[in-house]
Amino acid sequence: MEYKRILTIQDVSCLGQCSLTVALPILSACGHETCIIPSAVLSTHTGEFQGYTFRDLSEDIPLIRRHWEKEKISFDAIYTGYLGSALEVSYVLDIFKSLLIHDGLIFVDPAMADNGKLYAGFDSEYVGAMKRLCAKARVIIPNITEAALLTGVEYKEEYDREYVERLIAGLKNMGPSCVVLTGVGFDREHTGVMVSDENGTDYYMHHKIPRTCHGTGDIFASVFAGTYLRGKNIFDSAKIAADFTLESIKNTVDDPAHWYGVKFETVLPELIKKLES
């Protein structure tokens, strides 16, 4: 296996099994040298915790870039997750230009919204910035809400395949050649992933566990990026990521004390075996 170097840019929640504390171990388990730029440091994630600390690190991003440029460091792939502001998005666009190898891969998880609403602190300016970021990506990994915001299509909680394909067409018109649309469910008992690239569109469905779990989007995106960088095609990468995320949830649902994330670490050995098979 070719040893590749990937950079992931997102925040650090010191406790909570999300963002960089998910991306770093998963991408490393996939066999890649994983480098990071933390966009912020929080004591915990913001879901249901109260009084968490927050330190903005956006001013460090261009300083890190300039140092790496001086050292002639480059990356085979760059994967972005939660970014805290439109300013940070502009810094990341600079990194795409200067630190990615020719024909390198860009993965963008436009982590900014869910359940029909933007996350706190985001506005239309941020959506516009995220459109510019997605336009540079090889693969984008939005959920239904994010896809609706990016395309200007009305958000719907209940929809059919025609609606989903309309979202995907709008996303691909922005620039990315591959779209991995998560959280796609056509009934209450199932959810899945709609994947689309130059070879067509396909859907992978699995049983839906009726529990909200923090960090599962980050887990899915990290497994997908790590698997795709290993040379798997878009559909197989999405299937492996969906199965891994589902097993991580199953390993957690019977432990009420572990409400703040999922036990993805317990599934990493199976991921490694699957990638080596």
Side-chain angles (χ1 to χ4, degrees):
M1 183 193 78
E2 185 180 357
Y3 186 57
K4 294 186 176 181
R5 177 188 285 165
I6 184 170
L7 168 65
T8 181
I9 309 169
Q10 46 192 307
D11 68 283
V12 177
S13 291
C14 298
L15 183 144
Q17 294 171 305
C18 63
S19 303
L20 280 180
T21 58
V22 161
L24 180 56
I26 288 176
L27 292 169
S28 298
C30 290
H32 309 303
E33 178 186 359
T34 305
C35 305
I36 66 169
I37 294 182
S39 58
V41 176
L42 297 84
S43 55
T44 66
H45 62 60
T46 60
E48 298 183 47
F49 285 109
Q50 302 295 322
Y52 51 83
T53 66
F54 175 87
R55 183 174 295 276
D56 180 11
L57 299 179
S58 57
E59 292 183 0
D60 292 335
I61 296 176
L63 301 178
I64 293 170
R65 174 182 58 80
R66 287 196 287 269
H67 180 218
W68 284 351
E69 288 174 344
K70 181 180 178 181
E71 297 294 330
K72 302 188 185 307
I73 293 168
S74 61
F75 298 93
D76 299 291
I78 299 175
Y79 153 46
T80 68
Y82 181 94
L83 302 171
S85 66
L87 177 63
E88 285 192 349
V89 172
S90 69
Y91 289 156
V92 171
L93 287 168
D94 291 336
I95 288 172
F96 288 172
K97 294 177 186 176
S98 60
L99 299 179
L100 187 68
I101 65 167
H102 178 67
D103 291 333
L105 291 172
I106 295 174
F107 305 91
V108 172
D109 176 6
M112 61 179 179
D114 204 359
N115 299 314
K117 297 185 296 184
L118 282 167
Y119 295 151
F122 290 158
D123 55 19
S124 59
E125 179 188 5
Y126 187 81
V127 175
M130 188 54 65
K131 288 180 182 179
R132 294 191 290 276
L133 197 69
C134 289
K136 300 296 183 181
R138 161 72 174 166
V139 184
I140 62 171
I141 313 168
N143 59 35
I144 293 286
T145 301
E146 291 156 350
L149 287 166
L150 289 167
T151 59
V153 174
E154 180 186 2
Y155 169 76
K156 294 183 179 181
E157 292 186 2
E158 296 183 1
Y159 44 80
D160 55 16
R161 182 160 180 143
E162 181 181 0
Y163 174 80
V164 173
E165 290 179 346
R166 182 183 173 198
L167 290 176
I168 289 175
L171 292 167
K172 293 177 80 170
N173 283 339
M174 290 167 45
S177 55
C178 300
V179 173
V180 180
L181 186 59
T182 63
V184 180
F186 299 109
D187 60 58
R188 296 183 182 276
E189 287 74 38
H190 299 89
T191 188
V193 189
M194 191 76 79
V195 296
S196 182
D197 66 1
E198 57 272 11
N199 297 315
T201 300
D202 208 345
Y203 180 56
Y204 180 63
M205 180 179 69
H206 58 78
H207 180 69
K208 182 178 182 178
I209 298 177
R211 170 176 166 175
T212 299
C213 297
H214 298 286
T216 52
D218 300 333
I219 290 169
F220 177 92
S222 298
V223 175
F224 177 88
T227 303
Y228 192 81
L229 194 57
R230 282 282 292 259
K232 300 285 187 182
N233 64 42
I234 185 175
F235 185 81
D236 288 343
S237 298
K239 182 179 183 299
I240 290 169
D243 290 345
F244 181 91
T245 305
L246 181 62
E247 288 304 310
S248 299
I249 297 170
K250 287 181 178 178
N251 283 3
T252 313
V253 290
D254 292 331
D255 183 356
H258 204 96
W259 56 267
Y260 50 84
V262 296
K263 301 175 182 178
F264 74 93
E265 301 92 343
T266 61
V267 195
L268 285 174
E270 295 302 316
L271 174 62
I272 294 169
K273 288 179 184 176
K274 189 166 291 189
L275 290 173
E276 292 176 346
S277 63

